[in-house]
Amino acid sequence: MFDSLKNKLKKSVKSLADKVSHGAEERKAQPEPAKSRKPVLKKPAKKPKPEKKKAEKTLKPQIPEEKIPEKKPLEKETKEPEISGEKRQEKEKKGILGRIKSGIIQRELSEEDIDRFFADNQTDFLQANIALGVIDAMKSDLKEKLANRPIKRTKAGEFIAGGFKESILSIVNQGSIDLEKAIKEAKGQGHAACIVFLGFNGSGKTTSIAKVARYLQERGYRPVLAAGDTFRAASIEQLEHHGEKLGIKVIKHQYGSDSAAVIFDARKYAEANNCDIVLADTAGRTHVDKNLMDELEKVIRVNRPDLKILVIDSLTGNDAVEQAEKFNDTVGVDAVMMTKIDVNKKGGSILSVCHTIKKPILFLGTGQGYKDLEKFMPEKFVKEIMG
Ligand SMILES: Nc1nc2c(ncn2[C@@H]2O[C@H](COP(=O)(O)OP(=O)(O)OP(=O)(O)O)[C@@H](O)[C@H]2O)c(=O)[nH]1
Ligand SMILES: [Mg+2]
């Protein structure tokens, strides 16, 4: 999974790490100019030794006695002359050698290095479905984490990868949603929980409902399905087919009927039959279709679901950001489900959606079967793409 994103990030880390190593190579070449500085080092070291001692001897008798105690508290001043010229020369040599050595061992990346890196790699990131907003956020985050800090040449890759990992984790870690907790809370309030699945045409809503229903069944809960897509031909039969296979009740009305009413009836059925949760399907819609977006608003207003899950096809590319934004603005999304991860090598849309609406990803759809559902774990995701 996410091979394309993985490769792009690997390439990014290498490119910045090379910058560090390259800088170090430049500094390695510095011993030459350092040699030319030697005479400058020797001069002050040789001269002061005899001159200062002579000067002290000749001056001593001329200094008035009251002035001598004034100099005593300045310990440093009185101690310094005790260092012999040779020792001082040695000390200065070591200091300069140390600086040259540390230049060889470590180097800093400047903010300009990071700016240039993102400018050079922007197209690559966009191709991996990482939206511009995310690229900018990562850039300023990495400047804070990596710029103007000494980076050990031998550890440059590790250090830079660490920066990327932290940055990506902060983007995809948008808290979590506990489905079982939501069911228990609703039960505590005397009703069955209700989740409405919404999203673009063909994003995978109906398939995801069947997967989540099975997931909950396996954990001992009793779901009911609501055929809230009364719009698309064969949508009701599609949900009924899943219901039959899984042994779950499906509440349906006729095509063209009010979606909000179907979901309302499913809730009543769940409460009357001691079911735990209603999983409600809705028609696929584009965020620019005003009538269908108004209908979705009504579904939410009438049913006040416990959770609104936006289902996004991860193959959608950079349009996923606009979808997420518009659905979130219209009805307020609680969590996201990204589908078709099994056929998506890019993976950047996960970062883009999380960054745009700041909502958690609940599940990943990883295939067409009922079992192809994975709980989204931010740390696991970062490990997967960054190693
Ligand atoms: N490979 C793969 N295919 C998926 C996944 N989820 C859904 N699909 C397929 O995507 C197609 C559309 O899925 P649906 O569940 O019908 O999508 P929908 O959002 O309900 O579609 P509309 O009701 O028309 O808006 C089907 O062929 C599914 O099998 C997934 O995680 N991986
Ligand atoms: Mg559907």
Side-chain angles (χ1 to χ4, degrees), residues 131-152:
L132 260 184
V134 184
I135 298 174
D136 285 345
M138 275 173 70
K139 182 164 73 179
S140 46
D141 200 25
L142 286 175
K143 271 187 193 174
E144 244 176 64
K145 287 181 167 63
L146 305 179
N148 306 320
R149 285 164 196 261
I151 303 173
K152 277 192 182 158

Side-chain angles (χ1 to χ4, degrees), residues 1-2 5 168-178 215 335-339 341 347-355 359-366 373-385:
M1 278 194 278
F2 314 123
L5 181 61
I168 294 171
L169 186 62
S170 70
I171 291 170
V172 295
N173 197 358
Q174 299 290 344
S176 62
I177 297 268
D178 186 338
Y215 172 92
V336 176
M337 179 153 174
M338 301 290 293
T339 62
I341 296 294
S349 48
I350 292 183
L351 272 71
S352 305
V353 168
C354 284
H355 176 76
K359 295 290 161 63
I361 291 186
L362 183 55
F363 289 114
L364 300 178
T366 55
L373 183 73
E374 228 179 70
K375 208 166 182 318
F376 180 74
M377 314 279 226
E379 287 84 4
K380 193 179 161 215
F381 171 73
V382 174
K383 200 159 181 240
E384 164 102 35
I385 59 169

Side-chain angles (χ1 to χ4, degrees), residues 7-172:
N7 291 337
K8 286 196 161 84
L9 288 167
K10 204 172 164 187
K11 199 178 122 197
S12 303
V13 169
K14 190 180 176 309
S15 145
L16 277 171
D18 281 351
K19 244 179 196 136
V20 173
S21 303
H22 183 67
E25 291 304 325
E26 277 171 7
R27 286 178 191 226
K28 247 185 177 176
Q30 281 185 4
E32 282 302 317
K35 268 182 196 168
S36 64
R37 280 191 212 132
K38 268 185 181 171
V40 185
L41 288 177
K42 280 179 181 173
K43 269 184 198 167
K46 276 191 175 178
K47 280 182 186 171
K49 190 182 168 186
E51 278 172 15
K52 268 193 182 174
K53 277 190 177 175
K54 272 180 199 170
E56 271 173 16
K57 274 178 192 169
T58 49
L59 281 173
K60 250 184 191 173
Q62 293 165 21
I63 298 169
E65 277 186 5
E66 328 97 72
K67 283 191 178 177
I68 296 170
E70 279 174 27
K71 278 204 169 185
K72 272 185 184 170
L74 300 171
E75 279 183 57
K76 277 181 189 168
E77 264 186 44
T78 51
K79 274 183 182 174
E80 262 195 14
E82 285 168 22
I83 300 174
S84 72
E86 271 173 28
K87 275 185 184 168
R88 186 182 300 154
Q89 185 186 3
E90 198 55 36
K91 209 174 155 189
E92 283 177 7
K93 249 186 183 178
K94 273 184 185 168
I96 287 176
L97 273 173
R99 282 199 293 278
I100 293 170
K101 265 188 193 168
S102 80
I104 292 168
I105 297 167
Q106 55 191 35
R107 197 206 158 213
E108 289 181 3
L109 283 172
S110 67
E111 295 203 351
E112 290 72 31
D113 286 333
I114 292 172
D115 276 333
R116 210 172 307 123
F117 162 77
F118 274 94
D120 293 346
N121 291 278
Q122 179 161 307
T123 318
D124 256 17
F125 285 137
L126 287 173
Q127 276 170 356
N129 289 345
I130 301 179
L132 260 184
V134 184
I135 298 174
D136 285 345
M138 275 173 70
K139 182 164 73 179
S140 46
D141 200 25
L142 286 175
K143 271 187 193 174
E144 244 176 64
K145 287 181 167 63
L146 305 179
N148 306 320
R149 285 164 196 261
I151 303 173
K152 277 192 182 158
R153 186 177 159 243
T154 51
K155 301 254 164 134
E158 238 171 85
F159 185 79
I160 290 160
F164 270 92
K165 278 183 199 170
E166 274 180 34
S167 182
I168 294 171
L169 186 62
S170 70
I171 291 170
V172 295

Side-chain angles (χ1 to χ4, degrees), residues 204-207 229 232 235 238 281-284:
K205 296 175 292 300
T206 310
T207 311
D229 180 358
R232 180 176 63 75
S235 64
Q238 186 188 358
D281 201 5
T282 59

